[in-house]
Amino acid sequence: MKKKLSILIPTVNHNKFIDKTIASCLNHSLSSSFEIIVSVNNLTLFGFEKSNYFKHKNIRWKCLRKQTVSMPESLNSGLKFCTCDWLFILSDDDCITKEFLQNFSLSHLNSNNLYTTRIRLVDENEHIIEEKEKYSKNIFSRNEALDLFFNDKIDHHLSTFVFNRALFDKTDGYHTSGYPNGYFIDSVLHCKLISNCESLHTADEVVFERRIFPNQSSMAFYFNKNVNIYIKNVVESFLQDENVTYQILKRYRTKKIFYRLFLKKRFKTEWFKLRKINYTNRLIKRSELIFFYFLYWDAGLLNKLHSIIFIIKYFIALITPKYTK
């Protein structure tokens, strides 16, 4: 029987979680329908012989045979190793759950459909940090899915979608956007995938676990005077696709409004991200974030006034006792 789904696990160096990542795929009841490729973004496979699955018959270990390349090139090259029509990218320290694709058949989708995961955040010891709420329904039209995307109801992560190779090819793959490390490449691709799809099918249960680490911190470029340059590059990456451009202008009227609202929403996202205990120096970072946002970010006066109101309301909520019967 021909396998339907390629699970690509991109990595650079062997880490202590990669065997858990691989095991989550092999322990799945549908594993016979998967092919699993570990794509190593390096010159050799040195170090990966430590993996318990290095000689496993159902794992294909592939090496780019290059000095570590950029994330977009790594992902595009890794996907070329995949032989199935349907593709899923799994980070090398994350896991899929047994509910992944349960009661769901890729055979019922055409190449212009998408399947989206539902995410749970866990720490190094598998303790649950946060679980994303359920989608309001099982199938969304393209416009409905775009509303979810632009309102941040869809997670921006490499493992958000199962997508068809034909739809991926329409988007022209991953491209560098914004900060040089590839930040936002997943968001840009996801927007392109949704803008070119027919419908979005959702997972009822949590099917993907994303691991969060204690030393994780907010992205450095938010605390950089060049932040506007990086975000403008991200926005330009969105606008490279005609369908995306049409959808953005339909919702926001002008590129400038979209760009400024993008900055405003990134401030709010980083603000909430820095409240979590898993982020280092979060109180200091929040103060820095406020300083750089109001002094350097080109979000526009009105958006910054809205952000001031948001911050005030946030702190009022912290000191206001919750009503209880």
Side-chain angles (χ1 to χ4, degrees):
M1 181 178 70
K2 183 182 178 182
K3 295 183 185 297
K4 293 183 174 65
L5 175 68
S6 298
I7 297 181
L8 175 71
I9 304 174
T11 188
V12 179
N13 299 307
H14 184 269
N15 69 69
K16 66 178 183 178
F17 294 107
I18 194 167
D19 276 8
K20 288 187 176 182
T21 299
I22 295 172
S24 75
C25 302
L26 293 174
N27 292 337
H28 199 285
S29 62
L30 300 178
S31 60
S32 60
S33 299
F34 300 161
E35 68 166 1
I36 302 168
I37 300 99
V38 181
S39 175
V40 178
N41 180 7
N42 223 319
L43 287 169
T44 70
L45 292 174
F46 177 76
F48 287 92
E49 67 276 359
K50 300 175 186 176
S51 170
N52 295 325
Y53 299 100
F54 189 67
K55 294 184 179 180
H56 195 285
K57 63 179 182 179
N58 294 328
I59 310 294
R60 291 166 53 209
W61 295 83
K62 295 290 185 178
C63 184
L64 298 189
R65 305 295 176 190
K66 295 180 181 179
Q67 192 63 49
T68 307
V69 299
S70 67
M71 190 179 291
E73 183 179 345
S74 171
L75 293 171
N76 289 330
S77 298
L79 287 169
K80 290 178 181 177
F81 296 133
C82 300
T83 63
C84 300
D85 292 333
W86 290 95
L87 308 168
F88 178 68
I89 301 173
L90 181 60
S91 302
D92 64 353
D93 49 19
D94 297 329
C95 295
I96 57 173
T97 72
K98 291 183 178 180
E99 287 72 28
F100 181 71
L101 287 177
Q102 285 290 341
N103 304 315
F104 188 88
S105 175
L106 293 175
S107 301
H108 295 157
L109 301 185
N110 64 46
S111 61
N112 290 320
N113 296 141
L114 286 169
Y115 171 87
T116 186
T117 59
R118 184 165 163 244
I119 292 179
R120 175 190 294 140
L121 304 181
V122 299
D123 63 17
E124 289 183 289
N125 300 311
E126 321 294 332
H127 297 140
I128 297 174
I129 298 172
E130 182 182 353
E131 188 169 293
K132 302 298 182 177
E133 63 184 31
K134 287 189 175 184
Y135 295 100
S136 60
K137 56 183 182 178
N138 297 120
I139 303 176
F140 293 89
S141 68
R142 177 198 299 159
N143 285 334
E144 290 172 330
L146 282 163
D147 287 337
L148 292 177
F149 177 87
F150 288 120
N151 289 303
D152 295 323
K153 300 297 183 182
I154 293 178
D155 286 285
H156 303 297
H157 187 271
L158 285 175
S159 303
T160 297
F161 292 128
V162 174
F163 52 91
N164 192 278
R165 185 182 299 278
L167 184 60
F168 177 74
D169 289 343
K170 282 184 184 179
T171 69
D172 199 28
Y174 288 98
H175 289 275
T176 300
S177 59
Y179 201 59
N181 72 341
Y183 204 55
F184 282 111
I185 64 168
D186 47 2
S187 300
V188 171
L189 178 70
H190 294 165
C191 189
K192 291 179 180 180
L193 288 172
I194 298 172
S195 295
N196 287 278
C197 82
E198 289 180 8
S199 60
L200 174 69
H201 297 247
T202 65
D204 274 337
E205 303 301 324
V206 170
V207 299
F208 171 68
E209 291 187 339
R210 180 179 179 184
R211 203 177 300 277
I212 303 292
F213 297 95
N215 62 347
Q216 193 165 350
S217 62
S218 191
M219 288 303 300
F221 73 77
Y222 291 125
F223 310 95
N224 187 307
K225 294 178 183 180
N226 293 322
V227 62
N228 297 310
I229 296 174
Y230 299 133
I231 297 299
K232 280 179 181 175
N233 287 338
V234 173
V235 170
E236 287 302 318
S237 297
F238 279 111
L239 298 172
Q240 288 171 359
D241 185 283
E242 289 183 4
N243 289 335
V244 175
T245 301
Y246 171 78
Q247 295 293 344
I248 285 174
L249 294 180
K250 181 172 132 181
R251 284 167 170 75
Y252 301 98
R253 299 198 310 277
T254 70
K255 298 176 186 178
K256 185 71 172 180
I257 292 174
F258 174 67
Y259 162 70
R260 287 188 162 174
L261 284 173
F262 191 91
L263 283 167
K264 176 188 172 184
K265 287 200 290 186
R266 288 318 305 172
F267 169 76
K268 190 173 181 179
T269 298
E270 291 305 304
W271 177 269
F272 280 119
K273 195 183 291 184
L274 289 169
R275 74 181 172 170
K276 295 175 183 174
I277 198 166
N278 51 289
Y279 281 82
T280 55
N281 301 319
R282 59 192 185 281
L283 295 178
I284 296 174
K285 285 294 185 183
R286 269 192 169 175
S287 300
E288 290 181 4
L289 183 66
I290 290 173
F291 174 79
F292 276 92
Y293 176 68
F294 286 101
L295 194 62
Y296 295 110
W297 291 31
D298 184 22
L301 179 59
L302 185 60
N303 285 330
K304 289 185 178 181
L305 289 174
H306 287 165
S307 298
I308 291 173
I309 294 170
F310 156 74
I311 293 170
I312 292 171
K313 285 182 175 179
Y314 176 85
F315 282 114
I316 289 175
L318 283 183
I319 61 176
T320 303
K322 291 184 179 178
Y323 174 78
T324 56
K325 289 186 178 180

